[in-house]
Structure formats: C-alpha cells, structure tokens
Amino acid sequence: MRIRLFLAIGLLPGLGAAQARMAPLARYLMPVAAEVALARSAAPASVSLDARVLVLAPAGYVEAAHGGNGFTCLVKRSWAMPAANPDFWDAALRSPICFNPAATASVLPQLLFRTERALAGDSAAAIRRALVAARARHALPPPAPGAMCFMMSKQAHLRGRDPLWHPHLMFFAPAAAAPLWGANRAGSPLGADAYPESGLTFLVEPVATWSDGTRDGAPAPNPPDPAAPGSAPYPAMAPLDRYLQPSAADEAALARSAAPPSISAGARVLVLGRGGYTQAARGGNGFVCVVERGWGAATNDPEFWNPHIRAPICFNAAAAATVLPLYLMKTKSVLAGQSQSAIAATIAALRRARTLPRPAPWAMGYMLSKRQYVHDGAGSWHPHLMFFLPGRVDAAWGANLDRSPVLAGDDADAGLTTMMVLASAWSDGSPAR
C-alpha cells in the first residue's frame, strides 16, 4: 500500500475553506510550558528529555531548554508545508517533531527561515520565492546524510481531518531520492513526498507505538535485538553444503522475498554457489537482492558460522555499491577457508589502507521476508528496514533507548552502524504479528 507522506505532515487540505493569509499571530502561539511538553511528546522520553527545545514566540523560535544529546524538539506550524498547500496558514495545526543532530544542522534551518519570513508578513508565494532564492545562493544547506526525526506524538494536530494519523519516523533526502529508497511502490512501507521549493524529499515509515509507549497496532516495541547471541555455539564452519539452498532458483526466490515484488521483481539477484555468489538475474532498478549467511555479521558474533541463518535482503543502489562489497569479500574469504580472526585482520587492513568503502549517503535495505532466519533466538524476527551509516552513530538516531522504535547494531570490524526500523507487514502484504 502506498503511504502518502502528506497524510503524516498535514499536506492535505482541511474540510473548510482555505485561509488566504496569516491569521492573527496570537492564534499560532501557545503557553511556553505547554509548548515545551508538546514538543517533547514527539519522541520517547529517553530521547526528548535531553533534547534542545525551541518554542514559538512573536519574533520567532527561541530556546526553552538547552539539551545535551544533539536532538532538537519543537512544534511545527502550518507554514512548514509547501507554499501551494491551501492549509498553509491554518492556525490550528501543531506538528511536534524531534530532529536528530544531522537534521538539526541541515533541515531545521529551512523551517526557521520559513518562520522568519512568515512572521515578517510575507505571503505564501513570497516565502516560496525567498526559499528558492536562498537555496540558489547556497544560504540553506541540503539534507545531510542520516538526517531523520521522530513524529510520535499522540497530541499532534496534523490536518483538519484525521489529525493524528500514525506515529512515524521521517527521513530527509534530496528531492530525487524517492526511487533510490523504493518509496511509494506497492507493498513498500516507505511513503515519500517532495517539497519542490525546499529541494527535499520526506520519507516516512509508520512505527508501532506512540512516544508514551501505547500501541498503534503494528509490531511490539523494542523486540529482542536480532544481533543477540543465540543459544547454540558454532565454533567453526560447517560443511559447505549446509549453507547452500537446494537450487539456484530456490535461492533467487528467497532473495526476492526480502522486498515487495514492486521492488524485487526488477532487482539484480545474486545466489550462493560453491564458488561464491553469481548473478541469477540482471535486474534494472538499481536494487540488488541476496540471501546473506551468518558471516554477514561481525566477525566476533557467536553465530558467524551458524549454517541455519538465511537473511534475505534487497540493497538499494547506494548500499549495493558501498555495503554489499564487504559481504561479498567476506564470502570469498570464508570459501577460501579463512578463520574469523583472519577475516577480521583482512578487514582491518582494508580500513587502514582506506580501500574499504564507507556506506554511501542514504544506503539502506529491505528485510521483509517471512522466510528469513536471522538467528537462533529469533527465527524470522520482524520485517524491518535497514539503514547503513559510517561509524558508531546509534546515539544520533536515538537507537536502543527505552521506547525508541529504532534499534542499532554496531559492526566494529567494518566501522559501520546498522539501524533497524520495524515494518508492519511482510513483503507478501500479510501483517506482522
């Protein structure tokens, strides 16, 4: 099902007549304490209580709490939407949002710019022109890689009809990024919409709970970490046959099950054989689908040699170019008989030589297969999306914190962090339980 992002952030017109100009300023203002509380409701308390908080005042947004974790929480008003939207001046709209550090630095400036122009008395059209001009002279930054935010407030008023919608995460990318992520395709949990004057694409993924921990009806919050150790030891590689599928056709079908057919049917497919991975389907949409084995994990993972693991994943083009090569290199090392420690040493040498690619901006993958087996303690676990970022950056996404819908796994060997966000359905469209 296509999830249209304007549902999440109030881009649909309301039921009444559109406002042609800004209402009296007092209608957009709130008592400071109430606005601080509303702003913080955008994210779990484990994120928002240590965030910087901005509140709207007659002269613009001012700081009400300093914060210390790099996040910035505030309540957006209607002028955050595209200038052409008929609800641009709707004084009733309140959109609590907590930006992570990357979005604070690269997306928040646009919102503050819009607010400055709105409070100066500009029309919606004038704000749009000013925004386009500011971008043209590079006075406003493009979205930084890894820029995202929480919008999980049960108190939000996003539009006149169905004002609450769903708790969700938003990811910010350049305007042309929606195809790169597979957004707005049948069965994809990602919806996207573009702001033409902002040069931004907003991608949204609904999550299971509101910031207060109450359910929205999707998967349970904070499930066991899929990287957690299993119960059975696997001290060495098993016979190769135990890692292989019955046929290349069976493996190709399993690989494609990682993403909805709207994505995987046009993807390149690699299958594992005795000599390594070979191409089973050429594809044409930039995605690459494979079935990873246990050695896709960090070299110190106790299930590195688990022959039961089958982890279908469809990498987008950015991840196929910069994340998949490491896994293919590890596969060659495994099939050459190298030990875990030898593989770790090879990876360390590549990092020192700076020949190991770092995850490209907006590198991500789909893991929505109902047939996946991620480790002994979880089996198929949950359908989820994966986002790959360089370095140890779990704190920058509010990952692994109480009630946070974001989980993170750190691969110290490779120098990357994998963020996992649960989806509400498997690739075949059936709901996750």
Side-chain angles (χ1 to χ4, degrees), residues 10-13 18-19 78-89 114 123-129 131 194-198:
L11 304 190
L12 285 179
Q19 294 177 206
S78 55
W79 53 76
M81 63 180 63
N85 192 280
D87 282 348
F88 189 83
W89 295 119
R114 287 170 171 270
S123 66
I127 292 172
R128 178 181 55 78
R129 290 193 297 269
L131 188 59
Y195 276 24
E197 67 261 35
S198 299

Side-chain angles (χ1 to χ4, degrees), residues 54-151:
L54 304 182
V55 298
L56 185 64
Y61 281 98
V62 297
E63 186 176 279
H66 184 64
N69 63 3
F71 280 77
T72 300
C73 301
L74 55 86
V75 181
K76 296 193 298 180
R77 300 322 199 260
S78 55
W79 53 76
M81 63 180 63
N85 192 280
D87 282 348
F88 189 83
W89 295 119
D90 188 342
L93 299 188
R94 299 288 187 273
S95 301
I97 186 168
C98 285
F99 294 103
N100 78 338
T104 293
S106 61
V107 179
L108 176 58
Q110 285 208 16
L111 173 60
L112 298 181
F113 180 87
R114 287 170 171 270
T115 300
E116 177 186 349
R117 300 316 313 160
L119 298 183
D122 284 5
S123 66
I127 292 172
R128 178 181 55 78
R129 290 193 297 269
L131 188 59
V132 170
R135 288 183 52 237
R137 63 177 185 271
H138 304 291
L140 291 171
M148 56 82 67
C149 71
F150 291 80
M151 291 190 73

Side-chain angles (χ1 to χ4, degrees), residues 247-249 251-253 255 269-273 276-280 289-291 293:
S247 68
E251 174 135 355
V269 178
L270 304 181
V271 297
L272 180 63
Y277 280 92
T278 57
Q279 182 171 283
C289 301
V290 303
V291 181
R293 290 354 190 234

